[in-house]
Amino acid sequence: MLDLANSHRSIRSYTSQNIDDSLLNDLLTAGLRSSSSGNMQTWSVVVTRDPDRKRQLYEAHRKQGMILEAPVVLTFCADVFRMREWIRINESKQSFDDLLGFLTGAVDAVVAAQTICLAAESVGLGICYMGTTWWAADQLIELLELPKGVFPVTSVVMGYPAEDPPLRDRLPLELLVHRETYKQLTDEEIRRLHAEREEKAWARYNSFESLRQRLAEAGIIRVTDFYTSKFKYSKELHREVSEMLIKTLRAQGLWL
Ligand SMILES: Cc1cc2nc3c(=O)[nH]c(=O)nc-3n(C[C@H](O)[C@H](O)[C@H](O)COP(=O)(O)O)c2cc1C
C-alpha cells in the first residue's frame, strides 16, 4: 500500500483498451467500502462510457483531450437527493437541503473517489482527476441530468496508461504537516522550502515549447506569476466560477 501510494502519477494519455465491466464493478465496490459521514454514503458517481456523451463532457471540461482517450469517465457527486427521497417515503422529518448537507456529501464523494483511484492504480490502470468539474458544474448538472440535491464534486478519467511519466515534485513534508498547532513560517523559511518547487515546476512548464512562448510573451517570469495568471487560476476566473457555484448550489437546493 505504501509503495502504491508513493508511486502515484496522474495519467493523461490512454490506450484504446477498454475496462471491462466486472473490473469496473470491483473498483466501484471497493469505493462503497469507504468511510462516510454517519455511514449515510451521501455520494454517487455517474459512469460515462458512451463516446457521444464523452464528447459533451470533453467540451464541458475545457477540451481536456484525455476524456476522449480514456474509456471511462467518473463524475463523483455529493448526493443528498437519495437520502432525502428515503426520508420522504418514510414520512420522516426532512434535512440535508443546505450547505452542510452539500459539504457532508462532498467529503464522502472525495473519500470514495480516492479509494476507487487507488484500487484502479493497484490493478495497473491510470487515473487523472479533473478540477474543471467545479468550473463546469452547471453544465454537468444538465448533461448528466442530476436532480436537485446532487452536485458534481470531482471527476476522474480512467484507463490503461499509454505513457509512463516521471514522479512529479512535491512540497517538503514540513510545509504541510504541523505538530500539535499550526506553525506560521518566516519569509526566509517559505523561500527555502519552496525553492525546489519553484525550480522544478518552472522547468517543467517551460519544457512545453508552446507554453514557454506564451509565458514569455505575457512577461511571466516565475511559477507563482503563472499560477495566478490568465493561463491558470486567475482572480477573475475564481470570482466568475465562485459566483456560478453559489448560484448553482442555490438552484440545486444546497446553499442554506
Ligand atoms: C482535485 C484535482 C483536480 C485536478 N484537475 C486536473 C485537471 O483538470 N487536469 C489535469 O490534467 N490534471 C488535473 N489534476 C491532476 C494534478 O494536476 C496532479 O495531481 C498534480 O499535478 C500532481 O501530479 P501527479 O498526480 O502526477 O503526481 C487534478 C488533481 C486533483 C486532485
Side-chain angles (χ1 to χ4, degrees), residues 18 24 45-58 67 70-75 140 143-144 156-158:
N18 217 337
L24 185 60
V45 59
V46 181
V47 179
T48 307
R49 285 186 182 272
D50 176 65
D52 291 338
R53 208 179 294 272
K54 274 209 297 163
R55 182 153 285 280
Q56 292 173 313
L57 287 180
Y58 162 79
I67 296 180
V72 168
V73 182
L74 301 173
T75 307
L140 296 177
L143 225 139
L144 304 174
V156 169
V157 292
M158 186 184 284

Side-chain angles (χ1 to χ4, degrees), residues 2 5 36 38 59 70 78 89 92 119 127 147 155 159 176 182 184 211 240:
L2 280 174
S36 73
E59 295 293 338
I89 62 166
S92 302
I127 62 96
S155 310
L176 280 77
Y182 197 101
Q184 296 195 41
L211 181 57
E240 185 191 317

